Amino acid sequence: MNILILGGGGREHSLAWAVLQNPKCDKLIVAPGNAGIAQIAECADLDILNGGAVAQFCEENSIDFIIVGPEAPLAAGVADDLRNAGFLVFGPSKEAARLEASKGFTKEICDAAGAPTAGYARFDQADAAKDYIRAEGAPIVVKADGLAAGKGVIVAMDEATALDAIDDMFGGEFGSAGAEVVIEEFMEGEEASFFVLCDGKNALPVGTAQDHKRAYDGDEGPNTGGMGAYSPAPILDEAMQTQVMDQIVYPTLREMAARGTPYAGVLYVGLMIKDGQARLVEYNCRFGDPECQVLMLRLGAQALDLMIAAAEGTLDRAKVTWADDHAMTVVLAAKGYPGSYDKGTVIGRLNDLPENSWEVCFHAGTTTKDGQVVATGGRVLNATARGKTVAEARDRAYAMADAIDWPEGFYRKDIGWRVLG
Ligand code: AMP
Ligand code: GLY
């Protein structure tokens, strides 16, 4: 099978790594890829938001299966374009990807499905939004409706912050993503992520994870795309997974199918859990980054079979085999991230790192320049390891992070504190 992965982050490096473990894969191309992916697969320069261009590339390269990594091509309808051209694709349609691309739409689906989530109201006028905030009081959560690269959510602990967020959003700070806002009840509890493969009819849980969104130790500092993650998430035990499938995932999938827009792909279910009850925080229509990295290390070769089953509609016959293990990833980011940071700094000693089925350093934002690996993004590397215990996974991941020579980078030292005590 010739396989194309769209994307070039740590998530896609880990997807490529898992796909290559599977003997079904004859050839792998990743577009655009990065310096780490280039060491294991062919990388192609391709406009991944242009469905027509991707379809033509697949035709020319005899591609049999396409895995779409990030949300932007999904929200742009690239999976539809590829399916219409006759290709087998892992990733939801543009209509189904609205579960991530519009927060208001997700709330509407939750209402129709009876899925527990935070109370909310939707606004397209600043004055009415502010009146609502004053009436409800803080803490309160203000969200831009559309895709805002993870920056469109303001958890306001006081009223002034919430009112400022309304000014920013209707003032155009988030572009068209902020033309509508959702204002939500603040939920307390423990957050966890649940990943479910879907084929339009069937659903199969493929793992749980928790990530650390804040930039600095002690969960302090600004929000980021995620500074580290581990799997499994103990709070999502079997009983809790059953509750989430019954109360949230299946009702959502039934509602999507009833509307003629069945969901197929991976559903990333972001949850807030308190007193034994889970409520939905958000859906994403893709694997999390860096959560995917810990899931792929644990799933290995079977990840490809599962994604093919999701694309073909045969998940009812698929099974996941779990080792009794744990995985952790530590994100190495450029100093200054998530604010401004330097690009082009050189990263050394990557070739000395171990690489086996227990430990891999996935690349997120790297390229090769004059024979050296240089940083090109905010989140740059993911030191990822498995272990029989979470402490063992942590020790291996941090040994890798410590061994990397990158003075312009930083990483949190306390990933997994909640489960490690
Ligand atoms: P989202 O982009 O919807 O995942 O929101 C980003 C983060 O904001 C989440 O991971 C939560 O930590 C927080 N958040 C979002 N909605 C709420 C809510 N209603 N109550 C409390 N925290 C929230
Ligand atoms: N790590 C959070 C996300 O991928 O949305």
CSV table of all heavy atoms in Angstrom, one decimal, residues 11 211 213 225-226 268 282 284 286-291 379, ligand 2:
chain,number,residue,atom,x,y,z
A,11,ARG,N,2.8,15.3,15.6
A,11,ARG,CA,1.7,14.3,15.5
A,11,ARG,C,2.0,13.5,14.2
A,11,ARG,O,1.9,12.2,14.2
A,11,ARG,CB,0.4,15.1,15.3
A,11,ARG,CG,-0.8,14.2,14.8
A,11,ARG,CD,-2.0,15.1,14.8
A,11,ARG,NE,-1.8,16.3,14.1
A,11,ARG,CZ,-2.4,17.5,14.3
A,11,ARG,NH1,-3.3,17.6,15.2
A,11,ARG,NH2,-2.1,18.6,13.7
A,211,ASP,N,-2.8,16.2,28.9
A,211,ASP,CA,-1.7,17.0,28.5
A,211,ASP,C,-1.6,18.2,29.4
A,211,ASP,O,-2.4,18.4,30.3
A,211,ASP,CB,-1.8,17.4,27.0
A,211,ASP,CG,-2.8,18.5,26.7
A,211,ASP,OD1,-3.7,18.8,27.6
A,211,ASP,OD2,-2.7,19.2,25.7
A,213,LYS,N,-1.2,22.1,29.3
A,213,LYS,CA,-1.4,23.2,28.4
A,213,LYS,C,-0.6,24.4,28.7
A,213,LYS,O,-0.2,25.2,27.8
A,213,LYS,CB,-2.9,23.6,28.3
A,213,LYS,CG,-3.7,22.6,27.6
A,213,LYS,CD,-5.0,23.2,27.0
A,213,LYS,CE,-5.6,22.2,26.0
A,213,LYS,NZ,-6.2,21.0,26.5
A,225,GLY,N,-0.1,25.0,22.9
A,225,GLY,CA,-0.7,23.9,22.2
A,225,GLY,C,-0.6,22.6,23.0
A,225,GLY,O,-1.2,21.6,22.7
A,226,GLY,N,0.3,22.6,24.1
A,226,GLY,CA,0.5,21.4,24.9
A,226,GLY,C,2.0,21.2,25.0
A,226,GLY,O,2.8,21.2,24.1
A,268,TYR,N,-11.6,13.5,18.8
A,268,TYR,CA,-10.9,13.8,20.0
A,268,TYR,C,-11.9,14.4,21.0
A,268,TYR,O,-12.4,15.5,20.7
A,268,TYR,CB,-9.8,14.8,19.6
A,268,TYR,CG,-9.0,15.6,20.7
A,268,TYR,CD1,-7.7,15.9,20.4
A,268,TYR,CD2,-9.6,16.1,21.8
A,268,TYR,CE1,-6.9,16.6,21.3
A,268,TYR,CE2,-8.9,16.8,22.7
A,268,TYR,CZ,-7.5,17.1,22.5
A,268,TYR,OH,-6.8,17.8,23.4
A,282,GLU,N,-14.8,20.1,24.6
A,282,GLU,CA,-14.7,20.4,23.2
A,282,GLU,C,-14.5,19.1,22.4
A,282,GLU,O,-14.0,18.1,23.0
A,282,GLU,CB,-13.4,21.3,22.9
A,282,GLU,CG,-12.1,20.6,23.3
A,282,GLU,CD,-10.9,21.2,22.7
A,282,GLU,OE1,-11.0,22.0,21.8
A,282,GLU,OE2,-9.8,20.8,23.2
A,284,ASN,N,-12.4,17.8,18.9
A,284,ASN,CA,-11.5,18.1,17.8
A,284,ASN,C,-11.6,17.0,16.8
A,284,ASN,O,-12.0,15.8,17.2
A,284,ASN,CB,-10.0,18.2,18.3
A,284,ASN,CG,-9.8,19.4,19.1
A,284,ASN,OD1,-10.2,20.5,18.8
A,284,ASN,ND2,-9.2,19.2,20.3
A,286,ARG,N,-9.4,15.5,14.9
A,286,ARG,CA,-8.0,15.0,14.5
A,286,ARG,C,-7.4,14.5,15.8
A,286,ARG,O,-8.0,14.7,16.9
A,286,ARG,CB,-7.2,16.2,14.0
A,286,ARG,CG,-7.4,17.4,15.0
A,286,ARG,CD,-6.5,18.4,15.0
A,286,ARG,NE,-6.9,19.5,16.0
A,286,ARG,CZ,-6.4,19.6,17.2
A,286,ARG,NH1,-5.6,18.6,17.7
A,286,ARG,NH2,-6.8,20.5,18.0
A,287,PHE,N,-6.3,13.8,15.7
A,287,PHE,CA,-5.6,13.5,16.9
A,287,PHE,C,-5.0,14.7,17.6
A,287,PHE,O,-4.7,15.7,16.9
A,287,PHE,CB,-4.4,12.5,16.6
A,287,PHE,CG,-4.8,11.1,16.3
A,287,PHE,CD1,-4.7,10.6,15.0
A,287,PHE,CD2,-5.2,10.3,17.4
A,287,PHE,CE1,-5.1,9.2,14.8
A,287,PHE,CE2,-5.6,9.0,17.1
A,287,PHE,CZ,-5.5,8.5,15.9
A,288,GLY,N,-4.8,14.7,18.9
A,288,GLY,CA,-4.2,15.8,19.6
A,288,GLY,C,-2.7,15.8,19.3
A,288,GLY,O,-2.1,14.8,19.0
A,289,ASP,N,-2.1,16.9,19.5
A,289,ASP,CA,-0.7,17.1,19.4
A,289,ASP,C,-0.2,17.8,20.6
A,289,ASP,O,-0.6,19.0,20.8
A,289,ASP,CB,-0.3,17.9,18.1
A,289,ASP,CG,1.2,17.9,17.8
A,289,ASP,OD1,1.9,17.6,18.7
A,289,ASP,OD2,1.5,18.2,16.7
A,290,PRO,N,0.5,17.2,21.6
A,290,PRO,CA,1.3,16.0,21.5
A,290,PRO,C,0.6,14.7,21.9
A,290,PRO,O,1.3,13.7,22.1
A,290,PRO,CB,2.4,16.3,22.4
A,290,PRO,CG,1.8,17.1,23.6
A,290,PRO,CD,0.7,17.9,22.9
A,291,GLU,N,-0.7,14.6,22.1
A,291,GLU,CA,-1.3,13.4,22.6
A,291,GLU,C,-1.1,12.2,21.7
A,291,GLU,O,-0.9,11.0,22.1
A,291,GLU,CB,-2.8,13.5,22.9
A,291,GLU,CG,-3.1,14.5,24.0
A,291,GLU,CD,-3.3,15.9,23.5
A,291,GLU,OE1,-2.7,16.3,22.5
A,291,GLU,OE2,-4.1,16.6,24.1
A,379,ARG,N,6.9,24.8,19.0
A,379,ARG,CA,7.1,23.5,19.6
A,379,ARG,C,8.0,22.7,18.6
A,379,ARG,O,7.7,22.6,17.4
A,379,ARG,CB,5.8,22.8,19.9
A,379,ARG,CG,5.0,23.5,21.0
A,379,ARG,CD,3.8,22.7,21.4
A,379,ARG,NE,2.8,22.6,20.3
A,379,ARG,CZ,1.8,21.8,20.4
A,379,ARG,NH1,1.6,21.0,21.4
A,379,ARG,NH2,0.9,21.8,19.4
B,2,GLY,N1,-2.9,19.2,22.7
B,2,GLY,C1,-4.1,19.8,22.4
B,2,GLY,C2,-4.6,19.7,21.0
B,2,GLY,O1,-4.1,19.0,20.2
B,2,GLY,O2,-5.6,20.4,20.7
